């Protein structure tokens, strides 16, 4: 049986992420054993990785670094062994070079770009919170999804990519923002698939089926 | 385009959904988990649980309700009622809540808002404000489920908690709650034009037109309602179709 590890580094919404992946996994006939873990050993033996994330960038980065060997095994399986990886919300933002949330914090530098604050505007409250439409580039990770379908977002910062090559989906609030990123085996979403009802379940299913 | 959210609110007392009129006279309205699953299937954009039991010995009932709901509903879940410490927030998040609504504790101790926002992220922290107009036509903040009057101006308070890191405001008009005469759009408008975080309108909705007015006149980002949904007067989709016809962006 294949192993999927949801990285547990103290992020608040693990329960929702775990439950949504379990539900989709069951609908596919349980191809994966799903583990919620912070163990470097489990990570190094996994076939797919999910990095959730809620809260501030710096806190998340520090939490990720506080587990012995976690980052080293994560980089080994994702960068060297190229196993499929999915980052959600701050878990996606962590892939950037750096973030300016509160103070400058370095990211994992897996995808070039930086995390910056959304432009403030009276008619567009921040956080960008709620259901918004996305437009995506044709890709197996958005298989069965319709263009302009709604996903749940909640964020005040966004991933400003250096290269369009890594842009997989966008949303508008009011300017165009990164909604999903891609680089080889690395996938990330600014929206929360685990909170996006049936559309989110499709993306989770596509990730479980994904063979980059 | 970002959609206006329709949020059914389930007031939970000792593990049952209840609904009161002007915060009193509670009527039983069913099992919270069953109701949550129905709303989830009908297209609710979020769910809100407010625990009005308030006595700490029954808290485990709430955790159980939240946990079971989170296992079945893959939409955001806001939970509040009796949240006093950072540990309370942590426990609710681990039970499956996505956002935590804080009321009395934020009024009593403003620094709790910033410490909660710093620890869990602004977007996790919803500040619930119960407001009522006084004889001088100023809105005052009430605490303890509407039982205690304070001398705090509701509009100033909303601006203050937004500055302290709240991610959203859940604004309940006590004058309107349970009356089915529409949201307090005057109050909503005064607040939504002054702060840059989303405001959820609550209290008073009785017709579909009230929903429309909450968005257009009040400037609300989200609309919360309880009794019109619980007693089946309107379904979630009735509200959404009505708003969509009037060119309000909603998720159908």
């Amino acid at each position: 049986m294949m192993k999927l590890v949801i990285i547990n580094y103290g992020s608040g919404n693990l329960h929702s992420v775990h439950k949504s992946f379990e539900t989709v996994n069951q609908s596919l006939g349980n191809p994966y054993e799903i583990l919620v873990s912070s163990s470097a050993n489990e990570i190094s033996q996994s076939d797919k990785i999910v990095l959730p994330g809620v809260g501030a960038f710096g806190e998340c980065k520090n939490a990720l670094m506080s587990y012995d060997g976690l980052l080293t095994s994560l980089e080994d399986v994702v960068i060297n062994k190229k196993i499929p990886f999915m980052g959600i919300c701050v878990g996606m933002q962590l892939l950037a070079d750096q973030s300016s949330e509160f103070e400058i914090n370095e990211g994992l530098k897996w995808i070039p770009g930086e995390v910056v604050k959304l432009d403030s505007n009276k008619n567009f409250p921040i956080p960008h919170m709620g259901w918004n439409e996305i437009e995506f580039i044709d890709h197996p990770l958005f298989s069965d999804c319709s263009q302009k379908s709604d996903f749940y977002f909640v964020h005040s910062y966004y991933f400003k990519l250096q290269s369009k090559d890594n842009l997989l989906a966008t949303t508008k609030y009011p300017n165009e923002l990164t909604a999903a990123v891609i680089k080889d085996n690395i996938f990330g979403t600014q929206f929360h698939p685990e909170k996006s009802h049936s559309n989110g379940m499709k993306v989770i299913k596509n990730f479980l089926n994904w063979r980059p | 385009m970002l959609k206006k959210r329709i949020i059914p609110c389930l007031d939970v007392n000792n593990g049952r959904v209840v609904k009161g009129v002007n915060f009193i006279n509670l009527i039983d309205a069913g099992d919270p988990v069953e109701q949550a699953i129905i709303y989830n299937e009908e297209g609710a954009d979020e769910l809100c649980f407010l625990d009005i039991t308030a006595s700490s010995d029954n808290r485990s009932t709430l955790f159980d309700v939240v946990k079971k709901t989170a296992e079945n509903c893959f939409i955001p879940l806001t939970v509040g009622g009796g949240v006093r410490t950072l540990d309370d927030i942590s426990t609710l998040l681990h039970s499956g809540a996505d956002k935590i609504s804080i009321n009395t504790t934020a009024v009593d101790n403003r620094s709790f808002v910033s410490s909660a926002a710093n620890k869990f992220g602004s977007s996790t922290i919803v500040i619930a404000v119960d407001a009522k107009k006084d004889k001088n036509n100023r809105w005052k903040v009430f605490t303890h489920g509407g039982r205690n009057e304070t001398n705090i101006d509701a509009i100033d308070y909303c601006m203050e908690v937004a500055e302290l890191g709240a991610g959203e405001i859940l604004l309940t008009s006590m004058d309107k709650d349970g009356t089915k005469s529409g949201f307090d759009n005057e109050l909503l408008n005064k607040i939504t034009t002054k702060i840059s975080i989303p405001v959820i309108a609550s209290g008073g909705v009785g017709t579909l037109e009230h929903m429309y007015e909450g968005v257009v006149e009040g400037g609300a980002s989200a609309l919360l309602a309880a009794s019109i949904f619980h007693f089946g007067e309107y379904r979630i989709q009735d509200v959404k179709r009505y708003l969509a016809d009037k060119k309000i962006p909603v998720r159908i």
Side-chain angles (χ1 to χ4, degrees):
Chain A
M1 193 188 272
M2 294 179 286
K3 262 190 196 172
L4 182 146
V5 172
I6 298 169
I7 299 181
N8 176 7
Y9 61 112
S11 171
N13 70 333
L14 266 184
H15 185 74
S16 314
V17 174
H18 186 202
K19 276 315 233 191
S20 59
F21 275 77
E22 276 293 2
T23 303
V24 177
N25 189 43
Q26 255 177 37
S27 75
L28 296 172
N30 292 313
Y32 290 92
E33 179 190 357
I34 298 182
L35 303 166
V36 176
S37 171
S38 49
S39 136
N41 192 34
E42 298 278 17
I43 289 168
S44 63
Q45 290 170 31
S46 63
D47 301 288
K48 277 190 187 175
I49 301 268
V50 176
L51 182 66
V54 169
F57 187 101
E59 288 239 344
C60 285
K61 175 75 194 302
N62 290 337
L64 204 53
M65 291 198 300
S66 70
Y67 293 88
D68 221 20
L70 193 158
L71 262 185
T72 317
S73 6
L74 185 62
E75 299 221 310
D76 181 52
V77 288
V78 179
I79 304 299
N80 301 330
K81 294 186 186 143
K82 296 203 170 295
I83 69 158
F85 169 94
M86 178 175 180
I88 300 172
C89 196
V90 181
M92 176 268 259
Q93 295 183 350
L94 284 167
L95 310 178
D97 294 320
Q98 65 172 47
S99 164
S100 54
E101 187 171 2
F102 296 121
E103 52 184 359
I104 302 285
N105 279 290
E106 285 196 0
L108 298 173
K109 302 177 195 278
W110 291 357
I111 297 184
E114 55 184 315
V115 177
V116 295
K117 184 140 189 153
L118 292 169
D119 291 329
S120 186
N121 177 327
K122 261 274 168 274
N123 295 317
F124 294 88
I126 292 176
H128 171 218
M129 186 186 287
W131 298 79
N132 206 339
E133 291 156 21
I134 66 159
E135 289 192 63
F136 52 84
I137 290 157
D138 195 28
H139 192 281
L141 286 163
F142 285 103
S143 153
D144 292 331
C145 295
S146 325
Q147 289 291 355
K148 301 209 166 193
S149 48
D150 292 313
F151 287 84
Y152 190 82
F153 288 84
V154 49
H155 62 120
S156 305
Y157 288 75
Y158 77 102
F159 193 164
K160 197 172 170 188
L161 289 165
Q162 208 174 84
S163 163
K164 280 254 176 203
D165 294 349
N166 300 129
L167 188 62
L168 187 58
T170 58
T171 187
K172 281 200 177 117
Y173 190 72
N175 305 319
E176 194 174 272
L177 304 173
T178 306
V181 299
I182 186 83
K183 189 187 175 194
D184 306 321
N185 56 316
I186 301 168
F187 170 50
T189 63
Q190 180 62 65
F191 56 81
H192 287 270
E194 78 282 9
K195 289 288 148 193
S196 297
H197 204 246
S198 49
N199 289 335
M201 301 306 240
K202 284 179 195 166
V203 172
I204 293 171
K205 180 180 163 195
N206 293 335
F207 178 70
L208 293 184
N209 288 329
W210 191 34
R211 309 255 176 281
Chain B
M1 189 181 281
L2 186 69
K3 307 296 157 62
K4 298 295 176 184
R5 289 167 281 151
I6 308 300
I7 309 175
C9 178
L10 300 120
D11 289 341
V12 180
N13 187 21
N14 295 320
R16 296 288 291 175
V17 180
V18 291
K19 181 60 204 162
V21 177
N22 291 99
F23 281 57
I24 48 168
N25 297 328
L26 303 177
I27 305 166
D28 189 280
D31 176 74
V33 181
E34 275 172 29
Q35 291 239 9
I37 292 170
I38 293 169
Y39 291 139
N40 174 52
E41 284 164 1
E42 285 189 343
D45 295 312
E46 285 185 33
L47 291 168
C48 180
F49 280 130
L50 294 181
D51 184 31
I52 60 168
T53 314
S55 70
S56 52
D57 36 316
N58 284 317
R59 293 294 280 176
S60 57
T61 323
L62 178 73
F63 298 147
D64 197 43
V65 166
V66 172
K67 197 156 181 282
K68 283 190 188 139
T69 303
E71 283 167 9
N72 291 289
C73 301
F74 298 109
I75 55 172
L77 181 57
T78 298
V79 183
V83 174
R84 290 183 189 90
T85 64
L86 294 176
D87 277 349
D88 289 343
I89 297 177
S90 196
T91 312
L92 284 169
L93 290 174
H94 285 290
S95 303
D98 297 291
K99 296 189 264 187
I100 305 301
S101 158
I102 304 165
N103 192 329
T104 304
T105 308
V107 177
D108 290 347
N109 175 13
R110 245 39 80 74
S111 70
F112 186 68
V113 179
S114 43
S115 46
N118 286 339
K119 186 162 166 66
F120 302 102
S122 277
S123 54
T124 307
I125 306 303
V126 182
I127 299 300
V129 181
D130 294 333
K132 192 175 177 179
K133 222 179 202 176
D134 68 10
K135 53 183 186 302
N136 302 318
N137 278 332
R138 294 180 67 91
W139 286 271
K140 289 288 164 58
V141 174
F142 279 64
T143 61
H144 299 86
R147 287 188 295 274
N148 295 2
E149 184 175 355
T150 71
N151 202 26
I152 300 165
D153 181 273
I155 298 164
D156 292 344
Y157 178 69
C158 289
M159 291 168 69
E160 191 184 350
V161 293
E163 203 56 42
L164 288 169
E168 194 169 33
I169 290 198
L170 165 53
L171 180 68
T172 302
S173 159
M174 292 176 59
D175 301 302
K176 293 285 194 167
D177 192 61
T179 64
K180 300 196 174 181
S181 59
F183 294 115
D184 189 338
N185 294 314
E186 191 191 351
L187 174 61
L188 271 168
N189 186 270
K190 284 186 192 295
I191 292 169
T192 55
T193 50
K194 285 194 178 69
I195 61 172
S196 65
I197 59 173
V199 176
I200 306 170
S202 157
V205 69
T207 67
L208 298 179
E209 197 167 6
H210 293 155
M211 295 280 197
Y212 176 76
E213 290 163 356
V215 173
V216 176
E217 293 171 21
S221 293
L223 305 164
L224 183 135
S227 45
I228 63 156
F229 294 134
H230 300 340
F231 299 114
E233 284 163 70
Y234 295 105
R235 314 305 286 253
I236 307 278
Q237 288 303 324
D238 297 335
V239 177
K240 293 197 170 185
R241 274 192 294 268
Y242 180 87
L243 292 177
D245 280 349
K246 296 208 157 206
K247 308 284 180 241
I248 303 289
V250 286
R251 180 179 71 105
I252 301 274

